[in-house]
């Protein structure tokens, strides 16, 4: 067996292992998310924000914002329940590799280069709740911008857990035309500080 064939077999084997691990993580996270309507509520909110911002009739716009306030509370409640349920996952299954690309068993080979998904989800839960409560005292427009950023960063973390940081960032660009760096700059300062401390610590 020549070197090229050996390397090709090793690469294929690594790909199979990586794919199996990603499918397992997708199934694990998806199993918890399936018990809630978080993704549906997230889509409704982001569409609703655009509708409210584009509405010229002031009374109609106020009605839309009021409905969105209710949806925000519902989303936060469901996300908090999801985070509580996911907190019971074993630590080994909650570790996420900080490496930019998915490498088989990276979370076990390089334990110091990982973070705990349970903890990052808790950070997102606080960020979403604070944004929904409008603790920064923002206008409806700015509140919607901040809450959208909090939602997108949470989505980025979920993609990162299932795939890799590189794939997660690429999906944010494809889905929301938003670079990862811009997401970090757009969330509330408290969220950004807690998130970066966990991710980079």
């Amino acid at each position: 067996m020549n070197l090229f064939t050996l390397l090709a077999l090793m690469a294929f084997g690594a790909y199979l292992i990586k794919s199996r691990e990603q499918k397992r993580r997708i199934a694990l996270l998806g199993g918890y998310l399936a018990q809630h309507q978080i993704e549906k509520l997230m889509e409704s909110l982001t569409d609703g924000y655009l509708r409210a911002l584009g509405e010229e009739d002031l009374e109609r716009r106020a009605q839309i914002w009021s409905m969105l306030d209710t949806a925000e509370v519902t989303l936060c409640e469901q996300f908090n329940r999801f985070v509580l349920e996911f907190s019971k996952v074993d630590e080994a299954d909650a570790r996420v590799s900080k490496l930019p690309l998915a490498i088989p068993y990276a979370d076990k080979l390089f334990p110091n280069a990982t973070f705990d998904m349970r903890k990052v989800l808790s950070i997102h839960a606080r960020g979403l709740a604070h944004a929904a409560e409008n603790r920064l005292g923002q206008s409806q427009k700015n509140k919607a911008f901040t809450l959208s950023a909090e939602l997108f960063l949470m989505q980025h973390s979920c993609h990162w857990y299932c795939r890799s940081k590189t794939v997660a960032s690429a999906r944010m660009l494809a889905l929301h035309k938003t670079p990862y760096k811009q997401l970090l700059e757009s969330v509330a300062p408290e969220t950004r500080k807690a998130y970066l401390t966990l991710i980079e610590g």
Side-chain angles (χ1 to χ4, degrees), residues 18-34 39 82 86 93 117 157-164 167 171:
K18 180 191 73 174
S19 297
R20 185 169 65 244
E21 172 63 10
Q22 289 179 348
K23 288 179 181 178
R24 187 185 68 80
R25 284 177 173 255
I26 291 170
L28 177 63
L29 185 64
Y32 284 95
L33 285 171
E39 291 178 278
F82 158 67
F86 195 83
D93 290 326
M117 184 65 174
S157 294
C158 291
H159 289 317
W160 189 345
Y161 173 79
C162 293
R163 302 286 186 177
S164 68
V167 170
R171 287 192 171 183

Side-chain angles (χ1 to χ4, degrees), residues 179-190:
Y180 175 60
K181 183 179 178 181
Q182 185 179 336
L183 281 180
L184 291 177
E185 294 171 349
S186 302
V187 295
E190 185 179 349

Side-chain angles (χ1 to χ4, degrees), residues 4-195:
F4 177 78
T5 302
L6 178 62
L7 291 174
L9 288 174
M10 289 175 63
F12 182 66
Y15 170 78
L16 290 179
I17 295 172
K18 180 191 73 174
S19 297
R20 185 169 65 244
E21 172 63 10
Q22 289 179 348
K23 288 179 181 178
R24 187 185 68 80
R25 284 177 173 255
I26 291 170
L28 177 63
L29 185 64
Y32 284 95
L33 285 171
Q35 302 175 45
H36 307 282
Q37 294 184 314
I38 294 169
E39 291 178 278
K40 183 178 179 180
L41 286 165
M42 179 178 172
E43 184 178 349
S44 296
L45 278 175
T46 51
D47 289 344
Y49 292 148
L50 293 176
R51 192 167 67 253
L53 293 171
E55 179 58 57
E56 296 183 359
D57 183 271
L58 295 181
E59 184 176 346
R60 176 57 182 157
R61 186 190 303 171
Q63 291 175 347
I64 296 174
W65 284 126
S66 179
M67 288 188 293
L68 291 172
D69 287 342
T70 302
E72 290 167 358
V73 171
T74 302
L75 184 142
C76 289
E77 290 173 348
Q78 292 205 16
F79 193 77
N80 283 334
R81 287 199 293 271
F82 158 67
V83 172
L84 180 62
E85 293 160 3
F86 195 83
S87 69
K88 299 171 185 176
V89 167
D90 290 339
E91 182 179 357
D93 290 326
R95 303 308 301 182
V96 184
S97 173
K98 297 180 185 179
L99 301 178
L101 299 175
I103 298 175
Y105 305 123
D107 55 324
K108 296 176 178 61
L109 294 172
F110 311 103
N112 292 331
T114 64
F115 63 87
D116 191 327
M117 184 65 174
R118 298 169 300 181
K119 293 181 179 179
V120 82
L121 287 175
S122 293
I123 291 172
H124 291 315
R126 287 195 300 273
L128 289 170
H130 292 175
E133 294 167 6
N134 199 14
R135 293 196 177 186
L136 297 176
Q138 298 175 306
S139 65
Q140 287 282 21
K141 177 180 179 180
N142 289 339
K143 174 191 171 186
F145 178 80
T146 300
L147 188 48
S148 294
E150 297 278 356
L151 286 168
F152 295 161
L153 185 61
M154 176 272 290
Q155 191 177 45
H156 181 278
S157 294
C158 291
H159 289 317
W160 189 345
Y161 173 79
C162 293
R163 302 286 186 177
S164 68
K165 181 179 181 180
T166 299
V167 170
S169 298
R171 287 192 171 183
M172 285 301 100
L173 274 175
L175 291 171
H176 308 298
K177 306 295 187 293
T178 308
Y180 175 60
K181 183 179 178 181
Q182 185 179 336
L183 281 180
L184 291 177
E185 294 171 349
S186 302
V187 295
E190 185 179 349
T191 300
R192 182 166 56 252
K193 180 180 179 181
Y195 176 87

